[in-house]
Amino acid sequence: MSAPHVGVLALQGDTREHLAALREAGAEASTVRRLRELETVDALVIPGGESTTMSHLLREFGLLEPLRARLAGGMPAYGSCAGMILLATEIMDAGSVGREATPLKAIDMTVRRNAFGRQVDSFEDDIEFTGLDKPVHAVFIRAPWVERVGQDVEVLGEAGGHIVAVRQGKMIATSFHPEMTGDRRIHKLFVELL
């Protein structure tokens, strides 16, 4: 069986790190900036970055509705930080009118943007992660947290009493950045779902 082809949304954010992590996890990985590239991948990673900027660029590049359709049709996805925000069904503190983060409605959850604070409040922590044998060293940068999960959403990790990692079917989201640590277990977990 050939390796799954995973795209990394490359409109803004830490694309290169996710591409490297996916390749180390056994996937074929490429960038996604255009509709034809989205149509060729088996799954998608939505990286960290700035969720309002990414939403704006999804609309500008004509990807918002096609991406929503692929996700609704069952395409697996993994979102880190801003990616978690975008995969939600509801976003709290979504931004100013005309410049707000737009939910893709792929995981039944409500996410609060920048919940842990501003850039200066960024931190690292070791967290227990369901399905992994040892804690994950998590890097939180202007990170969101999950306020509410639906009944089909499994909580995979918490930090400071807040939900920071979830799974629903073949969708995973983390409020932290595993691609920045060299620990490829979360990417491997995602690739194994495919």
Side-chain angles (χ1 to χ4, degrees), residues 10-186:
L11 302 178
Q12 191 259 347
D14 52 351
T15 305
R16 184 180 59 232
E17 295 87 347
H18 277 291
L19 289 169
L22 287 164
R23 290 173 183 141
E24 289 177 36
E28 176 188 335
S30 64
T31 58
V32 171
R33 289 185 189 94
R34 302 276 187 251
L35 179 58
R36 69 181 179 278
E37 295 165 339
L38 177 63
E39 293 170 344
T40 67
V41 297
D42 302 315
L44 185 70
V45 170
I46 304 174
E50 211 291 311
S51 57
T52 58
T53 299
M54 292 169 82
S55 295
H56 172 74
L57 292 172
L58 280 168
R59 286 189 290 275
E60 286 293 309
F61 281 76
L63 288 172
L64 182 62
E65 293 310 321
L67 177 53
R68 273 190 178 150
R70 289 275 331 257
L71 293 168
M75 179 180 70
Y78 166 54
S80 67
C81 198
M84 170 186 258
I85 294 166
L86 295 179
L87 287 174
T89 50
E90 181 183 17
I91 302 169
M92 299 178 75
D93 304 321
S96 59
V97 175
R99 183 97 176 119
E100 62 268 306
T102 304
L104 295 169
K105 303 180 184 255
I107 297 177
D108 185 9
M109 63 181 172
T110 302
V111 174
R112 181 179 298 277
R113 289 177 68 235
N114 303 328
F116 284 105
R118 300 165 110 17
Q119 190 83 18
V120 296
D121 301 311
S122 299
F123 67 99
E124 299 180 25
D125 195 9
D126 292 326
I127 64 166
E128 298 291 329
F129 196 97
T130 301
L132 300 180
D133 56 346
K134 295 183 298 188
V136 170
H137 187 72
V139 177
F140 295 87
I141 303 170
R142 291 178 53 213
W145 69 48
V146 178
E147 292 274 343
R148 176 203 62 83
V149 294
Q151 66 180 15
D152 295 330
V153 178
E154 177 185 8
V155 174
L156 300 176
E158 296 185 17
H162 300 285
I163 299 168
V164 297
V166 297
R167 175 182 171 189
Q168 182 175 357
K170 293 187 176 187
M171 307 272 183
I172 295 177
T174 62
S175 66
F176 54 89
H177 295 266
E179 74 282 2
M180 297 177 73
T181 66
D183 183 344
R184 303 307 187 213
R185 292 178 296 158
I186 292 174

